[in-house]
Amino acid sequence: MAPRKIIIDTDPGQDDAVAILLALASPEEIDVLGITAVAGNVPLELTAKNARIVCELAGHTHIPVYAGCDRPLNRPLVTAEHVHGKTGLDGPVLPDPEMPLAEGHAVDFIIETLRAHESGTVTLCPLGPLTNIATAFRKAPDIVDRVQEIVLMGGAYFEVGNITPAAEFNIYVDPEAADIVFKSGAHIVVMPLDVTHDALVTPHRNDAFRALDSQVGHAVAEMTDFFERFDKEKYGSEGAPLHDPCVTAYLIRPELFSGRHINVEIETQSELTLGMTVADWWRVTDRAPNAMFIGDVDAQGFFDLLTERLARL
């Protein structure tokens, strides 16, 4: 089979960086058409910079990186430096990128790419707030039916929230954008906290990254060393969850994951539960299913894949 054409929409973030590296290390399965940056974990200036740093770390400077929306649709930007550090990629010492940003806006790149390729052949992979995707859908409604699939990291059901008691960060930052995307009619696969919290970087797994003895291996180990401090203290877990690489791993080895095709609605009004992904896991409503909501992952299979692919870079 030909590799799947994807656009990675991202707000790097250490786990975003690992997701990008996994995609770039897997050309048999994945053809990265471009990377679009959005404000999220850190402001847009840094996410656009970090995406290029990661491309250079992987030696893939030919990948175009576009800057996108610098704030949510209707709200002030909420960021997560308390998790990812002031740069978003705290941990390793990586040089500033030499490759320039691609000319043009990320939203226009998404629209033009979906129109240029055969309908149903481009997958969107959002790893951060859904602002760029929703803006593209509002600006060019014709592209929605051209999307092969949207595979995103965001939301939660059993694991509830990580930025508020009810909401996961990516959805909370721009709930109106998430609402547009989930109501779009596009085929959606969701990697919520319920699955990503099982993808824990234990000391043994991090040692495996470091044992690759490459620039990429050491950088990934140092990234996870940094951000696991926050998660281990918060959750009392044995390591930090690698959220975003679950998106990339699903594209490569979907058999590692299982879930249910259910209805998912986004709360946009309540002060108490703003940004909640109201997932009808038990199918107790008559609302039509609109997303494959992933609930389980073969965690060791996931890390075996990740380590094997990172060794290629």
Side-chain angles (χ1 to χ4, degrees):
M1 292 178 61
R4 182 186 286 215
K5 300 172 184 176
I6 73 168
I7 297 172
I8 299 175
D9 188 68
T10 181
D11 61 337
Q14 291 92 346
D15 58 323
D16 303 71
V18 179
I20 294 168
L21 291 169
L22 177 56
L24 296 178
S26 305
E28 301 94 339
E29 295 91 359
I30 296 174
D31 177 10
V32 181
L33 302 178
I35 296 174
T36 52
V38 68
N41 284 323
V42 287
L44 179 66
E45 180 181 359
L46 287 174
T47 63
K49 176 183 177 180
N50 290 348
R52 289 176 288 148
I53 288 173
V54 175
C55 287
E56 292 191 355
L57 175 63
H60 284 63
T61 56
H62 61 286
I63 303 292
V65 177
Y66 293 84
C69 298
D70 65 356
R71 68 197 68 185
L73 296 181
N74 300 329
R75 300 177 185 275
L77 176 64
V78 175
T79 55
E81 287 90 349
H82 62 290
V83 179
H84 298 280
K86 64 180 181 180
T87 69
L89 287 183
D90 280 21
V93 178
L94 298 170
D96 286 346
E98 296 182 5
M99 60 185 286
L101 278 171
E103 292 186 9
H105 196 281
V107 168
D108 294 325
F109 170 73
I110 292 169
I111 293 169
E112 291 163 6
T113 302
L114 284 166
R115 286 175 173 169
H117 287 80
E118 183 180 350
S119 182
T121 63
V122 176
T123 294
L124 302 179
C125 298
L127 309 179
L130 290 162
T131 315
N132 283 342
I133 309 301
T135 303
F137 284 3
R138 290 206 305 189
K139 186 175 181 179
D142 62 285
I143 67 172
V144 176
D145 290 339
R146 302 187 66 84
V147 175
Q148 178 180 4
E149 197 168 47
I150 299 172
V151 184
L152 66 90
M153 190 277 133
Y157 179 65
F158 294 101
E159 289 287 319
V160 291
N162 64 353
I163 187 68
T164 74
E168 179 275 331
F169 177 81
N170 287 343
I171 306 299
Y172 177 79
V173 169
D174 200 341
E176 285 80 14
D179 188 48
I180 289 169
V181 172
F182 275 85
K183 289 179 177 175
S184 68
H187 187 267
I188 299 172
V189 177
V190 184
M191 295 290 162
L193 297 181
D194 303 289
V195 65
T196 67
H197 278 181
D198 287 335
L200 295 177
V201 186
T202 61
H204 174 74
R205 289 165 177 166
N206 213 29
D207 287 345
F209 297 149
R210 192 172 280 106
L212 297 175
D213 201 23
S214 64
Q215 186 179 12
V216 167
H218 287 295
V220 169
E222 289 166 7
M223 287 180 197
T224 53
D225 275 342
F226 177 84
F227 81 87
E228 77 169 0
R229 301 169 192 170
F230 174 82
D231 286 293
K232 288 172 74 172
E233 180 178 348
K234 180 178 181 180
Y235 297 114
S237 58
E238 59 179 334
L242 271 184
H243 306 285
D244 295 329
C246 289
V247 168
T248 317
Y250 177 83
L251 299 177
I252 301 167
R253 297 269 176 83
E255 66 273 13
L256 293 173
F257 300 86
S258 61
R260 293 185 183 184
H261 191 223
I262 61 171
N263 179 267
V264 181
E265 304 286 336
I266 309 300
E267 177 56 61
T268 61
Q269 302 296 323
S270 169
E271 291 184 11
L272 192 62
T273 59
L274 180 69
M276 183 178 182
T277 45
V278 183
D280 188 9
W281 183 259
W282 302 115
R283 301 188 177 107
V284 296
T285 75
D286 58 2
R287 295 193 290 267
N290 63 345
M292 174 59 73
F293 203 80
I294 302 299
D296 291 294
V297 60
D298 174 354
Q300 191 54 53
F302 167 80
F303 278 97
D304 289 345
L305 171 66
L306 182 55
T307 306
E308 180 256 315
R309 295 302 170 94
L310 292 179
R312 299 177 173 186
L313 297 174

